[in-house]
Amino acid sequence: MNSKQENRQEIILVVDERADTRAHLQQLLSPWWSITLAEDGDAALRSARQCRPDLILANLMLPSTPGFQLLETLIDKTDKR
């Protein structure tokens, strides 16, 4: 493992349409992990491509792109790399 990998903080992508839920999770998790926030499935897909999160916490009942659909899309895109 090189020094860049050793210093990398794990990234959690939090996906929820409610700003208060995103803020609460960010406050709880940010002392230990780097947090990226997304308000819907489209924003989550863009963020996941950019930040390559280690973990995704997604609301399964997102209004625009349901959480299961979001995760299926991410898995499909990962498999095709």
Side-chain angles (χ1 to χ4, degrees), residues 6-7 14 16 24-26 35 38 40 43 45 49 57 65 72 78 81:
E6 289 173 6
N7 293 330
V14 175
D16 197 291
H24 182 69
L25 288 170
Q26 183 176 32
I35 307 300
D40 60 31
L45 287 172
R49 282 188 212 113
L57 297 178
T65 304
E72 286 174 356
T78 302
R81 280 191 248 166

mmCIF file of all heavy atoms in Angstrom, residues 6-7 14 16 24-26 35 38 40 43 45 49 57 65 72 78 81:
data_model
loop_
_atom_site.group_PDB
_atom_site.id
_atom_site.type_symbol
_atom_site.label_atom_id
_atom_site.label_comp_id
_atom_site.label_asym_id
_atom_site.label_seq_id
_atom_site.Cartn_x
_atom_site.Cartn_y
_atom_site.Cartn_z
ATOM 1 N N GLU A 6 -2.701 4.901 2.209
ATOM 2 C CA GLU A 6 -2.717 4.850 3.669
ATOM 3 C C GLU A 6 -3.385 6.084 4.265
ATOM 4 O O GLU A 6 -4.026 5.995 5.299
ATOM 5 C CB GLU A 6 -1.291 4.724 4.197
ATOM 6 C CG GLU A 6 -0.670 3.379 3.927
ATOM 7 C CD GLU A 6 0.796 3.339 4.306
ATOM 8 O OE1 GLU A 6 1.291 4.323 4.885
ATOM 9 O OE2 GLU A 6 1.442 2.333 4.008
ATOM 10 N N ASN A 7 -3.234 7.231 3.625
ATOM 11 C CA ASN A 7 -3.788 8.472 4.142
ATOM 12 C C ASN A 7 -5.223 8.722 3.693
ATOM 13 O O ASN A 7 -5.857 9.649 4.161
ATOM 14 C CB ASN A 7 -2.919 9.663 3.708
ATOM 15 C CG ASN A 7 -1.563 9.621 4.363
ATOM 16 O OD1 ASN A 7 -1.421 9.109 5.466
ATOM 17 N ND2 ASN A 7 -0.564 10.126 3.669
ATOM 18 N N VAL A 14 -24.101 9.667 1.330
ATOM 19 C CA VAL A 14 -25.412 9.683 1.975
ATOM 20 C C VAL A 14 -26.424 10.253 0.982
ATOM 21 O O VAL A 14 -26.246 11.372 0.493
ATOM 22 C CB VAL A 14 -25.400 10.534 3.269
ATOM 23 C CG1 VAL A 14 -26.795 10.645 3.862
ATOM 24 C CG2 VAL A 14 -24.422 9.948 4.288
ATOM 25 N N ASP A 16 -30.412 11.105 0.445
ATOM 26 C CA ASP A 16 -31.753 11.280 1.010
ATOM 27 C C ASP A 16 -32.315 12.598 0.521
ATOM 28 O O ASP A 16 -31.579 13.576 0.390
ATOM 29 C CB ASP A 16 -31.703 11.251 2.537
ATOM 30 C CG ASP A 16 -33.075 11.019 3.146
ATOM 31 O OD1 ASP A 16 -33.932 11.920 3.049
ATOM 32 O OD2 ASP A 16 -33.301 9.935 3.704
ATOM 33 N N HIS A 24 -28.042 15.503 9.567
ATOM 34 C CA HIS A 24 -27.903 14.717 10.799
ATOM 35 C C HIS A 24 -26.893 13.584 10.611
ATOM 36 O O HIS A 24 -26.006 13.386 11.456
ATOM 37 C CB HIS A 24 -29.268 14.156 11.209
ATOM 38 C CG HIS A 24 -29.238 13.381 12.478
ATOM 39 N ND1 HIS A 24 -29.017 13.960 13.705
ATOM 40 C CD2 HIS A 24 -29.378 12.052 12.703
ATOM 41 C CE1 HIS A 24 -29.014 13.025 14.639
ATOM 42 N NE2 HIS A 24 -29.235 11.863 14.060
ATOM 43 N N LEU A 25 -27.007 12.851 9.499
ATOM 44 C CA LEU A 25 -26.061 11.765 9.241
ATOM 45 C C LEU A 25 -24.642 12.294 9.046
ATOM 46 O O LEU A 25 -23.673 11.689 9.511
ATOM 47 C CB LEU A 25 -26.511 10.939 8.038
ATOM 48 C CG LEU A 25 -27.731 10.051 8.299
ATOM 49 C CD1 LEU A 25 -28.257 9.469 6.997
ATOM 50 C CD2 LEU A 25 -27.392 8.960 9.289
ATOM 51 N N GLN A 26 -24.528 13.431 8.379
ATOM 52 C CA GLN A 26 -23.207 14.028 8.196
ATOM 53 C C GLN A 26 -22.590 14.380 9.550
ATOM 54 O O GLN A 26 -21.412 14.105 9.801
ATOM 55 C CB GLN A 26 -23.291 15.262 7.314
ATOM 56 C CG GLN A 26 -21.933 15.885 7.043
ATOM 57 C CD GLN A 26 -22.014 17.059 6.098
ATOM 58 O OE1 GLN A 26 -22.997 17.788 6.077
ATOM 59 N NE2 GLN A 26 -20.989 17.237 5.290
ATOM 60 N N ILE A 35 -17.656 12.499 4.234
ATOM 61 C CA ILE A 35 -19.056 12.352 3.851
ATOM 62 C C ILE A 35 -19.337 13.158 2.588
ATOM 63 O O ILE A 35 -18.977 14.328 2.487
ATOM 64 C CB ILE A 35 -20.006 12.844 4.977
ATOM 65 C CG1 ILE A 35 -19.665 12.154 6.300
ATOM 66 C CG2 ILE A 35 -21.466 12.647 4.592
ATOM 67 C CD1 ILE A 35 -19.783 10.653 6.288
ATOM 68 N N ALA A 38 -25.948 13.631 -1.290
ATOM 69 C CA ALA A 38 -26.724 13.742 -2.529
ATOM 70 C C ALA A 38 -28.202 13.758 -2.170
ATOM 71 O O ALA A 38 -28.643 13.016 -1.282
ATOM 72 C CB ALA A 38 -26.410 12.580 -3.463
ATOM 73 N N ASP A 40 -30.793 13.247 -4.404
ATOM 74 C CA ASP A 40 -31.630 12.350 -5.197
ATOM 75 C C ASP A 40 -30.744 11.348 -5.943
ATOM 76 O O ASP A 40 -29.515 11.405 -5.866
ATOM 77 C CB ASP A 40 -32.528 13.124 -6.165
ATOM 78 C CG ASP A 40 -31.768 13.978 -7.167
ATOM 79 O OD1 ASP A 40 -30.640 13.606 -7.549
ATOM 80 O OD2 ASP A 40 -32.301 15.014 -7.580
ATOM 81 N N ALA A 43 -28.182 12.857 -8.566
ATOM 82 C CA ALA A 43 -27.025 13.467 -7.898
ATOM 83 C C ALA A 43 -26.136 12.384 -7.291
ATOM 84 O O ALA A 43 -24.909 12.502 -7.307
ATOM 85 C CB ALA A 43 -27.492 14.446 -6.825
ATOM 86 N N LEU A 45 -25.686 9.320 -8.444
ATOM 87 C CA LEU A 45 -24.920 8.693 -9.528
ATOM 88 C C LEU A 45 -23.722 9.555 -9.921
ATOM 89 O O LEU A 45 -22.611 9.051 -10.101
ATOM 90 C CB LEU A 45 -25.811 8.437 -10.740
ATOM 91 C CG LEU A 45 -26.823 7.301 -10.590
ATOM 92 C CD1 LEU A 45 -27.782 7.284 -11.775
ATOM 93 C CD2 LEU A 45 -26.112 5.973 -10.448
ATOM 94 N N ARG A 49 -19.689 8.499 -9.216
ATOM 95 C CA ARG A 49 -18.680 8.455 -10.281
ATOM 96 C C ARG A 49 -17.447 9.277 -9.904
ATOM 97 O O ARG A 49 -16.330 8.916 -10.223
ATOM 98 C CB ARG A 49 -19.263 8.983 -11.593
ATOM 99 C CG ARG A 49 -20.137 7.984 -12.293
ATOM 100 C CD ARG A 49 -20.537 8.476 -13.676
ATOM 101 N NE ARG A 49 -21.851 7.966 -13.981
ATOM 102 C CZ ARG A 49 -22.939 8.698 -14.106
ATOM 103 N NH1 ARG A 49 -22.889 10.003 -13.991
ATOM 104 N NH2 ARG A 49 -24.096 8.138 -14.369
ATOM 105 N N LEU A 57 -25.151 5.030 1.826
ATOM 106 C CA LEU A 57 -26.356 4.981 2.658
ATOM 107 C C LEU A 57 -27.446 5.694 1.868
ATOM 108 O O LEU A 57 -27.401 6.915 1.715
ATOM 109 C CB LEU A 57 -26.132 5.691 3.997
ATOM 110 C CG LEU A 57 -25.073 5.092 4.918
ATOM 111 C CD1 LEU A 57 -24.933 5.952 6.180
ATOM 112 C CD2 LEU A 57 -25.430 3.674 5.294
ATOM 113 N N THR A 65 -35.633 8.620 -8.096
ATOM 114 C CA THR A 65 -35.041 7.327 -8.440
ATOM 115 C C THR A 65 -35.048 6.493 -7.173
ATOM 116 O O THR A 65 -34.286 6.789 -6.254
ATOM 117 C CB THR A 65 -33.586 7.498 -8.937
ATOM 118 O OG1 THR A 65 -33.569 8.397 -10.032
ATOM 119 C CG2 THR A 65 -32.987 6.175 -9.355
ATOM 120 N N GLU A 72 -29.000 -0.722 -8.125
ATOM 121 C CA GLU A 72 -28.881 -1.605 -9.292
ATOM 122 C C GLU A 72 -28.089 -0.919 -10.400
ATOM 123 O O GLU A 72 -27.238 -1.538 -11.044
ATOM 124 C CB GLU A 72 -30.254 -2.009 -9.801
ATOM 125 C CG GLU A 72 -30.948 -3.022 -8.923
ATOM 126 C CD GLU A 72 -32.376 -3.310 -9.360
ATOM 127 O OE1 GLU A 72 -32.885 -2.663 -10.312
ATOM 128 O OE2 GLU A 72 -32.995 -4.189 -8.752
ATOM 129 N N THR A 78 -20.596 -0.651 -12.255
ATOM 130 C CA THR A 78 -19.386 -1.197 -11.678
ATOM 131 C C THR A 78 -18.983 -2.478 -12.397
ATOM 132 O O THR A 78 -17.817 -2.705 -12.679
ATOM 133 C CB THR A 78 -19.579 -1.474 -10.170
ATOM 134 O OG1 THR A 78 -19.943 -0.268 -9.525
ATOM 135 C CG2 THR A 78 -18.311 -2.017 -9.535
ATOM 136 N N ARG A 81 -17.016 -2.032 -15.784
ATOM 137 C CA ARG A 81 -15.688 -1.422 -15.815
ATOM 138 C C ARG A 81 -14.635 -2.426 -16.112
ATOM 139 O O ARG A 81 -14.549 -3.498 -15.857
ATOM 140 C CB ARG A 81 -15.370 -0.748 -14.500
ATOM 141 C CG ARG A 81 -16.024 0.594 -14.418
ATOM 142 C CD ARG A 81 -15.503 1.345 -13.272
ATOM 143 N NE ARG A 81 -16.632 1.444 -12.342
ATOM 144 C CZ ARG A 81 -16.526 1.808 -11.106
ATOM 145 N NH1 ARG A 81 -15.375 2.063 -10.589
ATOM 146 N NH2 ARG A 81 -17.551 1.907 -10.331
#
